[in-house]
Amino acid sequence: MALAKEFVAAVLGGDPEKMDRAFFARQKGERKLYEIMHARRMCKQSPGWQSASVVEWFREAVKEYSIDQLRAIGEHIYEIVGATGLLFQEARTSLVFSVNERLLAHEFVDTFLERGDLAAAFANFERLFITAQLDPLRTNQRMTALLHENLPDLSPDQEEWLAQAEDSPAVIMLRKVLRDLRALESSSNC
């Protein structure tokens, strides 16, 4: 959604006034993120339906940002001073979640590549989804998708290390992602 991208770009810039203008309409008839969220809230009453939509908007909006830009967004989102309403809090929470899932996936992959504490990195990554109360299947699917996006081509040494590593949830997920990537690669070579 273009309005979510506009809001994220304003947050990245770090100017609280621009963030405010990107979220709230200033003129009658203008529609910004707040107005879209408010109109949707009035149409639907089932709990949680909107948060999932807003997270998807922000996932799409942050997809192309670098790790440093994501970190800046995560810092700047708390610089908006006057916005305290429920819809803004929902937008902020959804944006923070969308940024953090990418940052934690990146951290997990870096930890694997550096052969660091995979269990701790995996626990941080997984905790984000548990805190958001996503069901285990959706958590696994999203974590896997993020790892697909973040896992680079591995050297033979890295592949051997992964193959020899002791089974753990982190190692099992990495092996699965690697198998999936190989299957995609071999199917595209046909």
Side-chain angles (χ1 to χ4, degrees):
M1 161 182 244
L3 293 173
K5 288 183 180 187
E6 178 185 338
F7 180 67
V8 172
V11 172
L12 176 61
D15 181 342
E17 179 60 29
K18 286 182 181 176
M19 290 183 241
D20 191 58
R21 282 195 313 263
F23 190 73
F24 297 105
R26 295 288 178 240
Q27 300 170 353
K28 189 164 179 72
E30 186 180 28
R31 290 175 61 89
K32 294 291 185 173
L33 200 53
Y34 171 83
E35 287 73 25
I36 299 298
M37 290 173 68
H38 181 71
R40 287 175 155 234
R41 181 170 295 265
M42 301 316 286
C43 294
K44 305 272 188 192
Q45 296 301 321
S46 58
W49 76 271
Q50 179 156 301
S51 291
S53 296
V54 177
V55 166
E56 287 303 320
W57 297 344
F58 285 126
R59 278 179 175 162
E60 188 61 34
V62 302
K63 191 169 20 177
E64 302 303 321
Y65 285 107
S66 71
I67 294 302
D68 289 338
Q69 290 172 316
L70 291 172
R71 287 185 183 117
I73 291 166
E75 293 169 12
H76 296 161
I77 189 63
Y78 293 101
E79 294 175 8
I80 302 178
V81 196
T84 58
L86 291 176
L87 290 178
F88 179 77
Q89 295 307 320
E90 183 174 354
R92 181 189 335 233
T93 301
S94 298
L95 177 55
V96 167
F97 179 83
S98 300
V99 165
N100 284 343
E101 68 178 7
R102 291 199 165 279
L103 289 174
L104 290 169
H106 177 78
E107 177 185 308
F108 178 66
V109 169
D110 276 358
T111 301
F112 161 65
L113 295 174
E114 296 166 5
R115 297 185 186 163
D117 186 352
L118 270 183
F122 184 79
N124 286 339
F125 189 26
E126 187 178 46
R127 189 176 307 112
L128 176 71
F129 296 95
I130 291 169
T131 302
Q133 299 179 346
L134 291 182
D135 65 78
L137 178 62
R138 287 186 55 207
T139 293
N140 188 287
Q141 289 170 340
R142 184 63 186 154
M143 289 175 72
T144 300
L146 286 163
L147 291 177
H148 272 267
E149 294 174 20
N150 283 277
L151 194 64
D153 291 336
L154 300 181
S155 70
D157 182 50
Q158 290 166 328
E159 287 189 32
E160 179 65 25
W161 183 83
L162 183 58
Q164 300 300 321
E166 189 174 317
D167 283 351
S168 70
V171 168
I172 291 168
M173 181 170 275
L174 281 168
R175 288 177 185 153
K176 178 189 180 311
V177 168
L178 191 57
R179 274 194 313 272
D180 291 350
L181 290 173
R182 283 190 181 136
L184 282 173
E185 196 175 276
S186 65
S187 69
S188 65
N189 289 338
C190 295

